[in-house]
Amino acid sequence: MLHDIVDVKSLGGHRLRIRFDDGVEGTIDLASRIRFDGVFALLADPAYFSQVRVHPELGTIFWPNGADLDPVVLYSLVTGRPIPDYGADAVAEGP
């Protein structure tokens, strides 16, 4: 099941406090998880990184330059659970 992010707070550096729609919340440090190049280059600056917001339509976090992160990956990082396998069979079968 996919979970939307409903709240995010920058904690300084590259640390975020994230809350999901199922009530799960936690702190993650993305410093070693993001390659700061391309669209993510601006995020290397902690001041810019702190401009993170929740995208109301996509259910994930994003920054003013349009960079965003997959909420499934973030949920996995917060919970410590593996990323679900949404293979071709799951897509073909649908909900």
Side-chain angles (χ1 to χ4, degrees):
M1 178 172 196
L2 299 175
H3 295 285
D4 288 345
I5 296 171
V6 295
D7 190 48
V8 64
K9 180 178 181 182
S10 177
L11 302 175
H14 293 96
R15 294 175 47 238
L16 299 174
R17 181 80 178 168
I18 297 175
R19 185 167 41 93
F20 292 87
D21 60 1
D22 65 348
V24 167
E25 60 183 283
T27 300
I28 54 176
D29 188 344
L30 295 175
S32 64
R33 305 268 182 190
I34 296 175
R35 181 177 290 162
F36 297 107
D37 59 10
V39 71
F40 297 106
L42 292 173
L43 277 61
D45 174 9
Y48 190 85
F49 188 86
S50 71
Q51 296 179 43
V52 65
R53 300 289 180 262
V54 173
H55 194 292
E57 294 173 12
L58 300 179
T60 193
I61 56 174
F62 77 109
W63 286 266
N65 69 341
D68 65 6
L69 296 172
D70 187 331
V72 173
V73 173
L74 296 172
Y75 193 84
S76 175
L77 292 173
V78 167
T79 63
R81 297 178 191 159
I83 296 171
D85 180 7
Y86 298 115
D89 291 339
V91 173
E93 292 175 14

Coordinates of all heavy atoms in Angstrom, one line a residue:
M1 N 0.8 -1.2 0.0 CA 0.0 0.0 0.0 C 0.9 1.2 0.0 O 1.9 1.3 0.7 CB -0.9 0.0 1.2 CG -1.8 1.2 1.3 SD -3.0 1.0 2.6 CE -4.1 2.3 2.2
L2 N 0.5 2.2 -0.8 CA 1.2 3.5 -0.9 C 0.7 4.4 0.2 O -0.5 4.5 0.5 CB 1.0 4.1 -2.2 CG 1.5 3.3 -3.4 CD1 1.1 4.0 -4.7 CD2 3.0 3.0 -3.4
H3 N 1.7 5.1 0.8 CA 1.3 6.1 1.8 C 1.8 7.5 1.4 O 3.0 7.6 1.0 CB 2.0 5.7 3.2 CG 1.4 4.4 3.7 ND1 0.1 4.3 4.2 CD2 1.9 3.2 3.7 CE1 -0.1 3.1 4.6 NE2 1.0 2.4 4.3
D4 N 1.0 8.5 1.5 CA 1.3 9.8 1.2 C 2.0 10.5 2.4 O 1.7 10.2 3.6 CB 0.1 10.7 0.9 CG -0.5 10.3 -0.5 OD1 0.2 9.7 -1.3 OD2 -1.7 10.7 -0.7
I5 N 2.9 11.4 2.1 CA 3.5 12.2 3.2 C 2.5 13.4 3.4 O 2.1 14.0 2.5 CB 4.9 12.7 2.7 CG1 5.8 11.5 2.6 CG2 5.4 13.7 3.7 CD1 7.2 11.9 1.9
V6 N 2.3 13.6 4.7 CA 1.3 14.7 5.0 C 2.0 15.8 5.8 O 1.4 16.9 5.9 CB 0.1 14.2 5.9 CG1 -0.7 13.2 5.0 CG2 0.6 13.5 7.2
D7 N 3.2 15.6 6.3 CA 4.0 16.7 7.0 C 5.5 16.4 6.9 O 5.9 15.3 6.9 CB 3.5 16.8 8.4 CG 4.0 18.0 9.1 OD1 3.9 19.1 8.6 OD2 4.6 17.9 10.2
V8 N 6.2 17.5 6.7 CA 7.7 17.4 6.7 C 8.2 18.6 7.5 O 7.7 19.7 7.4 CB 8.2 17.4 5.3 CG1 8.0 18.6 4.5 CG2 9.7 17.1 5.3
K9 N 9.3 18.4 8.2 CA 10.0 19.5 8.9 C 11.5 19.3 8.8 O 12.0 18.2 9.0 CB 9.6 19.5 10.4 CG 10.3 20.6 11.2 CD 9.9 20.5 12.7 CE 10.5 21.7 13.4 NZ 10.2 21.7 14.8
S10 N 12.1 20.4 8.3 CA 13.6 20.4 8.2 C 14.2 20.5 9.6 O 13.8 21.4 10.4 CB 14.0 21.5 7.3 OG 15.5 21.5 7.2
L11 N 15.1 19.7 9.9 CA 15.8 19.7 11.2 C 17.2 20.2 11.2 O 17.9 20.0 12.2 CB 15.7 18.3 11.8 CG 14.4 17.6 12.0 CD1 14.5 16.2 12.5 CD2 13.5 18.4 12.9
G12 N 17.6 20.8 10.1 CA 19.0 21.2 10.0 C 19.8 20.2 9.2 O 19.5 19.0 9.2
G13 N 20.9 20.7 8.6 CA 21.7 19.8 7.7 C 20.8 19.2 6.7 O 20.1 19.9 6.0
H14 N 20.8 17.9 6.5 CA 20.0 17.2 5.6 C 19.0 16.2 6.3 O 18.7 15.2 5.7 CB 20.9 16.5 4.5 CG 21.6 17.5 3.7 ND1 22.9 17.9 4.0 CD2 21.3 18.2 2.6 CE1 23.3 18.7 3.1 NE2 22.4 19.0 2.2
R15 N 18.7 16.6 7.5 CA 17.7 15.8 8.3 C 16.3 16.3 8.2 O 16.1 17.5 8.2 CB 18.2 15.8 9.7 CG 19.5 15.1 9.9 CD 20.0 15.2 11.4 NE 19.0 14.8 12.3 CZ 18.6 15.6 13.3 NH1 19.2 16.8 13.5 NH2 17.7 15.3 14.2
L16 N 15.4 15.4 8.0 CA 14.0 15.7 7.9 C 13.2 14.8 8.9 O 13.5 13.7 9.2 CB 13.4 15.4 6.5 CG 14.1 16.1 5.4 CD1 13.5 15.6 4.0 CD2 13.8 17.6 5.5
R17 N 12.1 15.5 9.4 CA 11.1 14.7 10.2 C 9.9 14.6 9.3 O 9.4 15.6 8.8 CB 10.7 15.5 11.4 CG 9.7 14.8 12.3 CD 10.4 13.8 13.1 NE 9.4 13.1 14.0 CZ 9.6 12.0 14.6 NH1 10.8 11.4 14.5 NH2 8.7 11.5 15.4
I18 N 9.5 13.4 9.0 CA 8.4 13.1 8.0 C 7.3 12.4 8.7 O 7.5 11.4 9.5 CB 9.0 12.3 6.8 CG1 10.0 13.1 6.1 CG2 7.8 11.9 5.9 CD1 10.7 12.3 4.9
R19 N 6.0 12.7 8.3 CA 4.9 12.0 8.8 C 4.0 11.6 7.6 O 3.8 12.4 6.7 CB 4.0 12.9 9.8 CG 2.8 12.1 10.4 CD 2.2 12.9 11.5 NE 2.0 14.3 11.3 CZ 1.0 14.9 10.8 NH1 -0.1 14.2 10.5 NH2 0.9 16.2 10.7
F20 N 3.6 10.3 7.7 CA 2.8 9.8 6.6 C 1.3 9.7 7.0 O 1.0 9.8 8.2 CB 3.3 8.3 6.3 CG 4.6 8.3 5.7 CD1 5.8 8.3 6.5 CD2 4.8 8.3 4.3 CE1 7.0 8.3 5.9 CE2 6.1 8.4 3.7 CZ 7.2 8.3 4.5
D21 N 0.5 9.5 6.0 CA -1.0 9.5 6.2 C -1.5 8.4 7.1 O -2.6 8.5 7.6 CB -1.8 9.5 4.9 CG -1.5 8.3 4.0 OD1 -0.7 7.4 4.4 OD2 -2.0 8.2 2.9
D22 N -0.7 7.4 7.4 CA -1.1 6.3 8.3 C -0.6 6.5 9.7 O -0.7 5.7 10.6 CB -0.6 5.0 7.8 CG 0.9 4.8 7.8 OD1 1.6 5.8 7.9 OD2 1.4 3.7 7.6
G23 N 0.0 7.7 10.0 CA 0.5 8.1 11.3 C 1.9 7.8 11.5 O 2.5 8.2 12.5
V24 N 2.5 7.0 10.7 CA 4.0 6.6 10.8 C 4.8 7.9 10.6 O 4.5 8.7 9.7 CB 4.4 5.6 9.8 CG1 5.9 5.5 9.7 CG2 3.7 4.2 10.1
E25 N 5.7 8.1 11.5 CA 6.6 9.3 11.4 C 8.0 8.9 11.9 O 8.2 8.0 12.6 CB 6.1 10.5 12.1 CG 5.9 10.4 13.5 CD 5.3 11.7 14.1 OE1 6.0 12.7 14.3 OE2 4.1 11.7 14.4
G26 N 9.0 9.7 11.4 CA 10.3 9.4 11.8 C 11.3 10.4 11.2 O 10.9 11.3 10.4
T27 N 12.5 10.4 11.6 CA 13.6 11.3 11.2 C 14.5 10.5 10.3 O 14.9 9.4 10.6 CB 14.3 11.8 12.5 OG1 13.4 12.5 13.3 CG2 15.4 12.8 12.0
I28 N 14.9 11.2 9.2 CA 15.9 10.6 8.3 C 16.9 11.6 7.9 O 16.6 12.8 7.9 CB 15.2 10.0 7.0 CG1 14.4 11.0 6.3 CG2 14.4 8.8 7.4 CD1 13.8 10.5 5.0
D29 N 18.1 11.2 7.8 CA 19.2 12.0 7.3 C 19.5 11.6 5.9 O 20.0 10.5 5.6 CB 20.4 11.8 8.2 CG 21.5 12.9 7.9 OD1 21.5 13.5 6.8 OD2 22.4 13.0 8.7
L30 N 19.3 12.5 4.9 CA 19.4 12.2 3.5 C 20.8 12.6 3.0 O 21.1 12.4 1.8 CB 18.3 12.9 2.7 CG 16.9 12.5 3.0 CD1 15.9 13.3 2.3 CD2 16.8 11.0 2.6
A31 N 21.7 13.0 3.8 CA 23.0 13.5 3.4 C 23.8 12.4 2.6 O 24.4 12.7 1.6 CB 23.9 13.9 4.6
S32 N 23.7 11.2 3.1 CA 24.4 10.1 2.4 C 23.5 9.3 1.4 O 23.9 8.4 0.8 CB 24.9 9.1 3.4 OG 23.9 8.5 4.1
R33 N 22.2 9.7 1.3 CA 21.2 9.1 0.4 C 21.0 9.8 -0.9 O 20.4 9.2 -1.8 CB 19.9 8.9 1.2 CG 20.0 8.3 2.5 CD 19.7 6.8 2.3 NE 19.8 6.2 3.6 CZ 19.8 4.9 3.8 NH1 19.8 4.1 2.7 NH2 19.8 4.3 4.9
I34 N 21.4 11.0 -1.0 CA 21.2 11.8 -2.2 C 22.5 12.1 -2.9 O 23.5 12.5 -2.2 CB 20.5 13.1 -1.9 CG1 19.1 12.9 -1.4 CG2 20.4 14.0 -3.2 CD1 18.3 14.1 -0.9
R35 N 22.6 11.9 -4.2 CA 23.8 12.3 -4.9 C 23.4 13.8 -5.3 O 22.5 14.0 -6.1 CB 24.0 11.5 -6.1 CG 25.2 11.9 -6.9 CD 25.5 11.0 -8.1 NE 25.9 9.7 -7.6 CZ 25.9 8.6 -8.3 NH1 25.5 8.6 -9.5 NH2 26.3 7.5 -7.8
F36 N 24.2 14.7 -4.8 CA 23.9 16.1 -5.0 C 24.4 16.6 -6.4 O 25.3 17.4 -6.5 CB 24.5 17.0 -3.9 CG 23.8 16.7 -2.5 CD1 24.5 16.0 -1.6 CD2 22.5 17.0 -2.3 CE1 24.0 15.7 -0.4 CE2 22.0 16.8 -1.1 CZ 22.7 16.1 -0.1
D37 N 23.8 16.1 -7.4 CA 24.1 16.6 -8.8 C 22.8 16.7 -9.6 O 21.8 16.3 -9.1 CB 25.2 15.8 -9.5 CG 24.8 14.3 -9.7 OD1 23.6 13.9 -9.4 OD2 25.7 13.5 -10.0
G38 N 22.9 17.3 -10.7 CA 21.7 17.4 -11.6 C 20.6 18.2 -10.8 O 20.9 19.2 -10.2
V39 N 19.4 17.8 -10.8 CA 18.3 18.5 -10.2 C 18.5 18.5 -8.7 O 17.9 19.4 -8.0 CB 16.9 17.9 -10.6 CG1 16.7 16.5 -9.9 CG2 15.8 18.8 -10.2
F40 N 19.3 17.7 -8.1 CA 19.5 17.6 -6.7 C 20.7 18.5 -6.2 O 21.0 18.6 -5.0 CB 19.7 16.2 -6.2 CG 18.5 15.4 -6.4 CD1 18.5 14.4 -7.4 CD2 17.4 15.5 -5.6 CE1 17.3 13.6 -7.6 CE2 16.2 14.8 -5.8 CZ 16.2 13.8 -6.8
A41 N 21.4 19.1 -7.2 CA 22.6 19.9 -6.8 C 22.3 21.0 -5.8 O 23.1 21.2 -4.9 CB 23.3 20.5 -8.1
L42 N 21.3 21.7 -6.0 CA 20.9 22.8 -5.1 C 20.7 22.3 -3.6 O 20.8 23.1 -2.7 CB 19.7 23.6 -5.6 CG 19.9 24.4 -6.8 CD1 18.5 25.0 -7.3 CD2 20.9 25.5 -6.6
L43 N 20.3 21.1 -3.5 CA 19.9 20.5 -2.2 C 21.2 20.3 -1.3 O 21.1 20.1 -0.1 CB 19.2 19.2 -2.3 CG 17.7 19.3 -2.5 CD1 17.3 20.0 -3.8 CD2 17.0 17.9 -2.5
A44 N 22.4 20.4 -1.9 CA 23.6 20.3 -1.1 C 23.7 21.4 -0.1 O 24.3 21.2 1.0 CB 24.8 20.3 -2.0
D45 N 23.1 22.5 -0.4 CA 23.1 23.7 0.5 C 22.0 23.5 1.5 O 20.9 23.5 1.2 CB 22.9 25.0 -0.3 CG 22.7 26.2 0.5 OD1 23.0 26.2 1.8 OD2 22.3 27.3 0.0
P46 N 22.4 23.3 2.8 CA 21.4 23.1 3.8 C 20.3 24.2 3.9 O 19.2 23.9 4.2 CB 22.2 23.1 5.1 CG 23.6 22.6 4.7 CD 23.8 23.3 3.3
A47 N 20.7 25.4 3.6 CA 19.6 26.5 3.6 C 18.6 26.2 2.5 O 17.4 26.4 2.7 CB 20.3 27.8 3.4
Y48 N 19.0 25.8 1.3 CA 18.1 25.4 0.3 C 17.3 24.2 0.6 O 16.1 24.1 0.4 CB 18.8 25.3 -1.1 CG 17.8 25.2 -2.2 CD1 17.3 26.3 -2.9 CD2 17.4 23.9 -2.7 CE1 16.4 26.2 -3.9 CE2 16.5 23.8 -3.7 CZ 16.0 25.0 -4.3 OH 15.1 24.8 -5.3
F49 N 18.0 23.2 1.1 CA 17.4 21.9 1.5 C 16.3 22.2 2.5 O 15.2 21.5 2.5 CB 18.5 21.0 2.2 CG 18.0 19.6 2.4 CD1 18.0 18.6 1.5 CD2 17.5 19.3 3.7 CE1 17.6 17.4 1.7 CE2 17.0 18.0 4.0 CZ 17.0 17.0 3.0
S50 N 16.4 23.2 3.4 CA 15.4 23.4 4.4 C 14.1 24.0 3.8 O 13.1 24.1 4.5 CB 15.9 24.4 5.4 OG 16.1 25.7 4.9
Q51 N 14.1 24.3 2.5 CA 12.9 24.8 1.8 C 11.9 23.7 1.4 O 11.0 23.9 0.7 CB 13.3 25.7 0.6 CG 14.0 26.9 1.0 CD 14.4 27.7 -0.2 OE1 13.6 27.9 -1.1 NE2 15.6 28.2 -0.2
V52 N 12.2 22.5 1.9 CA 11.4 21.3 1.5 C 9.9 21.6 1.9 O 9.6 22.2 2.9 CB 11.9 20.1 2.2 CG1 11.8 20.2 3.7 CG2 11.3 18.8 1.7
R53 N 9.0 21.1 1.1 CA 7.6 21.2 1.4 C 6.9 19.9 1.0 O 7.5 19.0 0.3 CB 6.9 22.3 0.5 CG 7.5 23.7 0.8 CD 7.1 24.2 2.1 NE 7.6 25.5 2.4 CZ 8.7 25.8 3.1 NH1 9.4 24.8 3.6 NH2 9.1 27.0 3.3
V54 N 5.6 19.7 1.4 CA 4.8 18.5 1.0 C 4.1 18.9 -0.3 O 3.4 20.0 -0.3 CB 3.8 18.1 2.1 CG1 2.9 17.0 1.6 CG2 4.5 17.7 3.3
H55 N 4.2 18.1 -1.3 CA 3.4 18.3 -2.5 C 2.0 17.8 -2.3 O 1.8 16.6 -2.1 CB 4.1 17.6 -3.7 CG 3.5 18.1 -5.0 ND1 2.3 17.8 -5.5 CD2 4.1 18.8 -6.0 CE1 2.1 18.3 -6.6 NE2 3.2 18.9 -7.0
P56 N 1.0 18.7 -2.3 CA -0.4 18.3 -2.0 C -1.0 17.3 -3.0 O -1.9 16.5 -2.6 CB -1.2 19.6 -2.0 CG -0.4 20.5 -2.8 CD 1.1 20.1 -2.7
E57 N -0.6 17.2 -4.2 CA -1.1 16.3 -5.2 C -0.4 15.0 -5.3 O -0.9 14.0 -5.6 CB -1.2 17.0 -6.5 CG -2.2 18.2 -6.5 CD -2.2 19.0 -7.8 OE1 -1.6 18.5 -8.8 OE2 -2.8 20.1 -7.9
L58 N 1.0 15.1 -5.1 CA 1.8 13.9 -5.3 C 2.0 13.1 -4.0 O 2.5 12.0 -4.1 CB 3.1 14.3 -5.9 CG 3.1 15.0 -7.3 CD1 4.5 15.3 -7.7 CD2 2.4 14.1 -8.3
G59 N 1.7 13.7 -2.9 CA 1.9 13.0 -1.6 C 3.3 12.7 -1.2 O 3.6 11.8 -0.5
T60 N 4.2 13.6 -1.7 CA 5.6 13.4 -1.4 C 6.2 14.8 -1.1 O 5.5 15.8 -1.0 CB 6.4 12.7 -2.5 OG1 7.7 12.3 -2.0 CG2 6.6 13.6 -3.7
I61 N 7.5 14.8 -0.8 CA 8.2 16.1 -0.5 C 8.8 16.6 -1.8 O 9.2 15.8 -2.7 CB 9.2 15.9 0.6 CG1 10.3 14.8 0.2 CG2 8.5 15.6 1.9 CD1 11.4 14.7 1.2
F62 N 9.0 17.9 -1.9 CA 9.6 18.5 -3.0 C 10.3 19.8 -2.6 O 10.1 20.4 -1.5 CB 8.6 18.7 -4.2 CG 7.7 19.9 -4.0 CD1 7.8 21.1 -4.7 CD2 6.7 19.9 -3.0 CE1 7.0 22.1 -4.6 CE2 5.9 21.0 -2.8 CZ 6.0 22.1 -3.6
W63 N 11.1 20.4 -3.5 CA 11.8 21.6 -3.3 C 11.4 22.6 -4.4 O 10.9 22.2 -5.5 CB 13.3 21.4 -3.3 CG 13.7 20.7 -2.0 CD1 14.2 21.3 -0.9 CD2 13.8 19.3 -1.8 NE1 14.5 20.4 0.0 CE2 14.2 19.2 -0.4 CE3 13.4 18.2 -2.5 CZ2 14.4 17.9 0.2 CZ3 13.5 16.9 -1.9 CH2 14.0 16.8 -0.6
P64 N 11.7 23.9 -4.2 CA 11.3 24.9 -5.2 C 11.7 24.7 -6.7 O 11.1 25.1 -7.6 CB 11.9 26.2 -4.7 CG 12.0 26.0 -3.2 CD 12.3 24.5 -3.1
N65 N 12.9 24.0 -6.8 CA 13.4 23.7 -8.2 C 12.7 22.5 -8.8 O 13.0 22.1 -9.9 CB 14.9 23.5 -8.2 CG 15.3 22.2 -7.5 OD1 14.6 21.6 -6.7 ND2 16.5 21.8 -7.8
G66 N 11.7 21.9 -8.1 CA 11.0 20.7 -8.7 C 11.5 19.4 -8.3 O 10.9 18.4 -8.6
A67 N 12.7 19.3 -7.6 CA 13.2 18.1 -7.2 C 12.2 17.4 -6.2 O 11.7 18.1 -5.3 CB 14.6 18.3 -6.5
D68 N 12.0 16.1 -6.3 CA 11.2 15.4 -5.3 C 11.8 14.0 -5.1 O 12.7 13.6 -5.8 CB 9.8 15.4 -5.8 CG 9.5 14.5 -7.1 OD1 10.5 13.9 -7.6 OD2 8.4 14.5 -7.6
L69 N 11.3 13.4 -4.1 CA 11.7 12.0 -3.7 C 10.5 11.1 -3.7 O 9.4 11.5 -3.3 CB 12.5 12.0 -2.4 CG 13.8 12.9 -2.4 CD1 14.3 13.0 -1.0 CD2 14.8 12.3 -3.3
D70 N 10.8 9.8 -4.0 CA 9.7 8.8 -4.0 C 9.2 8.5 -2.6 O 10.0 8.1 -1.7 CB 10.3 7.5 -4.7 CG 9.3 6.5 -4.9 OD1 8.3 6.4 -4.1 OD2 9.5 5.7 -5.8
P71 N 7.9 8.7 -2.3 CA 7.4 8.5 -1.0 C 7.6 7.0 -0.6 O 7.7 6.7 0.6 CB 6.0 8.9 -1.0 CG 5.6 8.8 -2.5 CD 6.9 9.1 -3.2
V72 N 7.6 6.1 -1.5 CA 7.8 4.6 -1.2 C 9.2 4.4 -0.6 O 9.3 3.7 0.5 CB 7.6 3.7 -2.4 CG1 7.9 2.3 -2.1 CG2 6.1 3.8 -2.9
V73 N 10.2 5.1 -1.2 CA 11.5 5.0 -0.6 C 11.6 5.6 0.7 O 12.3 5.1 1.7 CB 12.6 5.6 -1.6 CG1 13.9 5.6 -1.0 CG2 12.5 4.8 -2.9
L74 N 11.0 6.8 0.9 CA 11.1 7.5 2.1 C 10.4 6.7 3.2 O 10.9 6.6 4.4 CB 10.5 8.9 2.0 CG 11.3 9.8 1.1 CD1 10.5 11.1 0.8 CD2 12.6 10.1 1.6
Y75 N 9.3 6.1 2.9 CA 8.6 5.2 3.9 C 9.5 4.1 4.3 O 9.5 3.7 5.5 CB 7.3 4.7 3.3 CG 6.3 4.1 4.3 CD1 5.4 4.9 5.0 CD2 6.3 2.7 4.5 CE1 4.5 4.4 5.9 CE2 5.4 2.2 5.4 CZ 4.5 3.0 6.1 OH 3.6 2.5 7.0
S76 N 10.2 3.5 3.4 CA 11.1 2.4 3.7 C 12.2 2.9 4.6 O 12.6 2.2 5.6 CB 11.7 1.8 2.4 OG 12.7 0.9 2.7
L77 N 12.7 4.1 4.4 CA 13.8 4.6 5.2 C 13.3 4.9 6.6 O 14.0 4.6 7.6 CB 14.4 5.9 4.6 CG 15.2 5.7 3.3 CD1 15.5 7.1 2.7 CD2 16.4 4.9 3.6
V78 N 12.1 5.4 6.8 CA 11.5 5.8 8.1 C 11.2 4.5 8.9 O 11.4 4.4 10.1 CB 10.3 6.7 7.9 CG1 9.5 6.8 9.2 CG2 10.7 8.1 7.4
T79 N 10.6 3.5 8.2 CA 10.1 2.3 8.9 C 11.2 1.2 9.0 O 11.0 0.3 9.8 CB 8.9 1.7 8.2 OG1 9.2 1.3 6.9 CG2 7.7 2.7 8.2
G80 N 12.2 1.2 8.1 CA 13.1 0.1 8.1 C 12.6 -1.1 7.4 O 13.3 -2.1 7.3
R81 N 11.4 -1.0 6.8 CA 10.9 -2.1 6.0 C 11.4 -2.0 4.6 O 11.7 -1.0 4.0 CB 9.4 -1.9 5.9 CG 8.7 -2.0 7.3 CD 7.2 -1.8 7.1 NE 6.6 -1.7 8.4 CZ 5.4 -1.1 8.7 NH1 4.7 -0.7 7.6 NH2 4.9 -1.0 9.9
P82 N 11.5 -3.2 3.9 CA 12.0 -3.2 2.5 C 11.0 -2.5 1.6 O 9.8 -2.4 1.9 CB 12.1 -4.7 2.2 CG 11.3 -5.4 3.2 CD 11.2 -4.5 4.4
I83 N 11.6 -2.0 0.5 CA 10.7 -1.4 -0.5 C 9.9 -2.5 -1.2 O 10.5 -3.6 -1.6 CB 11.6 -0.7 -1.6 CG1 12.3 0.5 -0.9 CG2 10.7 -0.2 -2.7 CD1 13.4 1.1 -1.8
P84 N 8.6 -2.4 -1.2 CA 7.8 -3.4 -1.8 C 8.1 -3.7 -3.3 O 8.6 -2.7 -4.0 CB 6.3 -2.8 -1.8 CG 6.4 -1.8 -0.7 CD 7.8 -1.2 -0.8
D85 N 8.0 -4.9 -3.7 CA 8.2 -5.2 -5.1 C 7.0 -5.0 -5.9 O 6.0 -5.8 -5.8 CB 8.7 -6.7 -5.2 CG 9.0 -7.1 -6.6 OD1 9.0 -6.3 -7.6 OD2 9.2 -8.3 -6.8
Y86 N 6.9 -3.9 -6.7 CA 5.8 -3.6 -7.5 C 6.2 -4.1 -9.0 O 6.2 -3.3 -9.9 CB 5.5 -2.1 -7.5 CG 5.1 -1.6 -6.2 CD1 5.8 -0.7 -5.5 CD2 3.9 -2.1 -5.6 CE1 5.5 -0.2 -4.2 CE2 3.5 -1.6 -4.3 CZ 4.3 -0.7 -3.7 OH 3.9 -0.2 -2.4
G87 N 6.4 -5.4 -9.1 CA 6.8 -5.9 -10.4 C 5.7 -5.9 -11.4 O 4.6 -5.4 -11.2
A88 N 6.0 -6.4 -12.6 CA 5.1 -6.4 -13.7 C 3.8 -7.1 -13.4 O 2.7 -6.6 -13.8 CB 5.7 -7.0 -14.9
D89 N 3.9 -8.1 -12.6 CA 2.6 -8.9 -12.2 C 1.7 -8.0 -11.4 O 0.5 -8.0 -11.6 CB 3.0 -10.1 -11.4 CG 3.6 -11.2 -12.3 OD1 3.5 -11.1 -13.5 OD2 4.3 -12.0 -11.7
A90 N 2.3 -7.2 -10.5 CA 1.4 -6.4 -9.6 C 0.8 -5.3 -10.4 O -0.4 -4.9 -10.2 CB 2.3 -5.8 -8.5
V91 N 1.5 -4.7 -11.4 CA 1.0 -3.7 -12.3 C -0.1 -4.2 -13.2 O -1.1 -3.6 -13.4 CB 2.1 -3.0 -13.1 CG1 1.5 -2.0 -14.1 CG2 3.1 -2.3 -12.2
A92 N 0.1 -5.4 -13.7 CA -0.8 -6.0 -14.7 C -2.1 -6.4 -14.0 O -3.2 -6.3 -14.5 CB -0.2 -7.2 -15.3
E93 N -2.0 -6.8 -12.7 CA -3.2 -7.2 -12.0 C -4.0 -6.0 -11.5 O -5.2 -6.1 -11.4 CB -2.8 -8.1 -10.8 CG -2.3 -9.4 -11.1 CD -1.7 -10.2 -9.9 OE1 -2.1 -9.8 -8.8 OE2 -1.0 -11.2 -10.1
G94 N -3.4 -4.9 -11.2 CA -4.1 -3.8 -10.8 C -4.6 -3.9 -9.3 O -4.3 -4.9 -8.7
P95 N -5.4 -3.0 -8.9 CA -5.9 -3.0 -7.5 C -6.8 -4.2 -7.2 O -7.5 -4.7 -7.9 CB -6.6 -1.7 -7.3 CG -6.7 -1.0 -8.6 CD -5.9 -1.8 -9.6

